[in-house]
C-alpha cells in the first residue's frame, strides 16, 4: 500500500485527492498547508488520516512514500527538494519549477536518491492524447515529425481564477517570472516537447497585452503569446496562447512526411489528416465523407467511455497518477521522461527571457530595472543548449502504464 501525502490544500488539491482515492493500492496519510484551516477542510472532505502545518512534520509523522506538491509554483523547488532528500517520490504540479536550473537540480537529486519525479502535465494522458500517441508511435505520420502547432486558449472572464488574478495586485501569479503565462503555458509547450528529437532548438517569442487588458488599465499581465520553435534542419513548431481568440481552443496538430493528426482536447476528438490526395473532383467529395465518418467514430468512442464510467474530466490526471505509482511499485520507467520535463522548462526560460527584453515594464518579476536596461531585438531567437549533466538519458516517447 503506497502512502501518499499532499502539500498545498488549495483548489487543485481537491482534484488530486479525488483522483488518488480512486486509485487502487494507495491511501492519503496526510495533507499539509501553512494555513491550518485549508488543511483541515481538505481532511474533512476526503478520507485522510491527519493534517499538518509544516512539511517537516508531515514527513516525520506520516512518513509518505509519495508526495504531491500542489502549492504555488514559487515553492515547488524547495518543497520537492526536502521531500526527495527524505527519500520520497514526488509529483509536482505544473509548472514544474520556476526555471530550468531548478528542474535540472531536482532531476539530479531524484536520481542520486533513487526516487522518482513527475510533472503535472495531465492533458498528455487524456483518452484522446493517448490515442494520438499510439498512432504516432505506429508510424502513421511517417518518420520524424515535420511540423507541429499547439494552441492554448484562456478565458480572462473565468470567475474561479482569472478575475481573482486581475482584481488582486498581490496575487502570487504576479510574482512568477512569466506571470500569467508562467502558470498556464506548460501544458501547451509540453505537447511540443514530447515530439522534439534534437538537443538544440531555436526559440522566437513575441508577446503583448491584449486591447482588453490595456482597456482596463492592467499594467502587469501579458495575455497574448506567439512562439516559433525550430530544430536545426528538422522539426518546426508554433505555439499560440491567447485570451481573446474565439473559439478558445486547446488543439494540437502534428504533421509528418506521410500524414497528419489533429487533436481537439476540449471535445476529445482526434482526426487523421490524410496526406495523399484523391484524383480530380473526388478530392471535393470523398474527404468530407471520411471526416464525417471520423467524427461519428469519435462520438461513439466517447459514448462508450461515458457508459463505462471512464470519461471523467480528470481522466488524464488519473492515468498519469496510476502510471507514476506503477513506475514506483514495479520499477517501470516514469510516465514522462525527464528529458521532456527539462526541455519544457528550457523552452519556457527562453520565452520569458525574450519577453523580459521586449516588455520590461510587464515582466520584471523580481529582477532589477538595471538588469533590463538594454532592449533586445523584438524577434531575436534564443538558442537552447542541451544539459551537460547526463540526466537526460530517459529520452523517448511517453511511457504508458501496463
Amino acid at each position: 500500500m503506497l502512502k501518499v501525502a499532499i502539500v498545498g490544500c488549495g483548489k487543485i488539491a481537491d482534484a488530486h485527492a479525488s483522483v488518488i482515492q480512486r486509485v487502487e493500492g494507495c491511501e492519503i496519510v496526510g495533507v499539509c498547508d501553512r494555513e491550518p484551516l485549508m488543511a483541515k477542510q481538505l481532511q474533512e472532505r476526503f478520507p485522510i488520516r491527519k493534517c499538518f502545518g509544516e512539511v517537516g512534520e508531515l514527513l516525520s509523522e506520516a512518513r509518505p512514500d509519495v508526495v504531491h506538491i500542489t502549492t504555488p509554483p514559487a515553492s515547488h523547488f524547495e518543497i520537492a527538494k526536502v521531500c526527495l532528500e527524505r527519500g520520497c517520490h514526488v509529483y509536482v504540479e505544473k509548472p514544474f519549477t520556476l526555471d530550468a536550473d531548478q528542474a535540472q537540480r531536482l532531476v539530479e537529486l531524484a536520481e542520486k536518491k533513487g526516487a522518482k519525479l513527475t510533472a503535472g502535465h495531465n492533458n498528455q494522458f487524456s483518452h484522446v492524447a493517448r490515442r494520438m500517441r499510439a498512432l504516432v508511435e505506429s508510424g502513421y505520420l511517417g518518420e520524424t515529425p515535420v511540423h507541429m502547432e499547439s494552441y492554448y486558449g484562456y478565458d480572462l472572464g473565468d470567475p474561479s481564477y482569472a478575475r481573482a488574478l486581475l482584481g488582486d495586485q498581490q496575487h502570487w501569479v504576479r510574482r512568477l517570472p512569466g506571470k500569467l503565462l508562467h502558470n498556464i503555458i506548460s501544458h501547451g509547450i509540453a505537447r511540443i516537447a514530447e515530439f522534439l528529437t534534437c538537443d538544440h532548438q531555436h526559440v522566437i517569442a513575441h508577446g503583448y497585452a491584449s486591447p482588453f487588458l490595456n482597456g482596463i488599465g492592467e499594467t502587469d499581465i501579458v495575455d497574448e503569446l506567439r512562439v516559433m520553435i525550430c530544430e536545426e534542419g528538422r522539426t518546426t513548431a508554433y505555439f499560440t496562447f491567447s485570451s481573446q481568440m474565439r473559439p478558445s481552443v486547446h488543439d494540437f496538430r502534428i504533421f509528418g512526411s506521410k500524414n497528419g493528426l489533429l487533436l481537439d482536447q476540449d471535445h476529445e476528438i482526434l482526426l487523421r489528416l490524410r496526406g495523399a490526395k484523391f484524383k480530380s473532383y473526388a478530392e471535393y467529395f470523398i474527404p468530407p465523407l471520411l471526416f464525417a465518418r471520423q467524427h461519428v467514430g469519435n462520438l461513439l468512442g466517447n459514448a462508450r467511455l461515458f457508459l463505462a464510467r471512464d470519461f471523467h474530466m480528470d481522466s488524464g490526471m488519473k492515468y498519469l497518477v496510476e502510471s507514476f505509482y506503477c513506475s514506483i511499485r514495479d520499477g517501470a520507467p516514469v510516465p514522462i521522461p525527464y528529458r521532456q520535463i527539462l526541455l519544457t522548462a528550457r523552452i519556457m526560460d527562453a520565452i520569458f527571457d525574450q519577453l523580459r527584453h521586449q516588455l520590461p515594464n510587464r515582466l520584471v518579476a523580481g529582477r532589477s530595472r538595471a538588469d533590463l536596461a538594454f532592449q533586445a531585438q523584438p524577434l531575436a531567437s534564443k538558442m537552447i543548449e542541451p544539459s551537460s549533466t547526463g540526466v537526460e538519458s530517459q529520452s523517448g516517447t511517453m511511457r504508458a502504464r501496463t
Side-chain angles (χ1 to χ4, degrees), residues 74-315:
S75 61
H76 285 182
F77 173 74
E78 290 298 335
I79 296 173
K81 181 171 176 286
V82 169
C83 294
L84 289 169
E85 287 174 341
R86 298 286 287 270
C88 299
H89 308 283
V90 182
Y91 180 124
V92 186
E93 253 302 336
K94 61 83 187 167
F96 188 66
T97 52
L98 291 186
D99 56 45
D101 178 67
Q102 289 184 348
Q104 185 83 39
R105 289 161 66 187
L106 287 183
V107 168
E108 291 174 354
L109 181 58
E111 294 194 330
K112 178 181 177 181
K113 294 292 184 178
K116 295 194 174 184
L117 275 170
T118 200
H121 297 154
N122 49 283
N123 283 351
Q124 291 173 267
F125 294 90
S126 65
H127 293 289
V128 68
R130 301 199 310 265
R131 287 162 48 205
M132 181 196 72
R133 185 173 300 114
L135 279 172
V136 173
E137 292 175 350
S138 74
Y140 178 76
L141 297 177
E143 297 181 356
T144 304
V146 174
H147 181 67
M148 295 176 278
E149 297 177 7
S150 179
Y151 297 88
Y152 203 96
Y154 186 74
D155 183 7
L156 285 174
D158 178 8
S160 65
Y161 176 76
R163 288 184 189 175
L165 166 63
L166 295 177
D168 182 2
Q169 293 299 311
Q170 302 303 316
H171 198 285
W172 57 263
V173 166
R174 295 178 183 272
R175 298 192 292 273
L176 296 176
K179 302 197 176 180
L180 174 66
L181 299 177
H182 207 132
N183 197 45
I184 302 296
I185 67 171
S186 59
H187 279 310
I189 298 297
R191 284 204 190 278
I192 292 171
E194 176 180 352
F195 298 105
L196 293 174
T197 58
C198 294
D199 288 329
H200 301 268
Q201 291 85 25
H202 286 281
V203 177
I204 303 174
H206 177 66
Y208 60 97
S210 67
F212 169 77
L213 287 188
N214 287 325
I216 63 173
E218 173 58 58
T219 60
D220 264 356
I221 304 298
V222 175
D223 64 333
E224 297 291 327
L225 175 67
R226 313 292 183 261
V227 180
M228 183 166 67
I229 303 166
C230 309
E231 290 189 318
E232 203 66 46
R234 303 188 75 175
T235 305
T236 59
Y238 298 154
F239 174 70
T240 297
F241 176 89
S242 176
S243 74
Q244 302 301 300
M245 182 174 68
R246 295 296 181 270
S248 182
V249 298
H250 300 90
D251 289 358
F252 180 69
R253 303 182 183 200
I254 183 167
F255 303 90
S257 57
K258 293 182 179 179
N259 301 295
L261 293 165
L262 187 157
L263 179 153
D264 177 349
Q265 185 66 61
D266 293 330
H267 304 105
E268 286 277 331
I269 292 173
L270 180 66
L271 297 177
R272 302 186 187 207
L273 307 176
R274 188 173 182 271
K277 291 184 176 294
F278 292 96
K279 292 183 178 180
S280 188
Y281 282 93
E283 182 65 20
Y284 298 97
F285 302 111
I286 297 179
L289 289 174
L290 295 178
F291 278 122
R293 180 180 179 182
Q294 289 191 71
H295 279 292
V296 171
N298 280 282
L299 166 65
L300 295 176
N302 290 345
R304 283 192 294 269
L305 289 170
F306 179 80
L307 293 174
R309 298 183 180 180
D310 191 22
F311 202 62
H312 304 284
M313 297 295 289
D314 56 9
S315 61

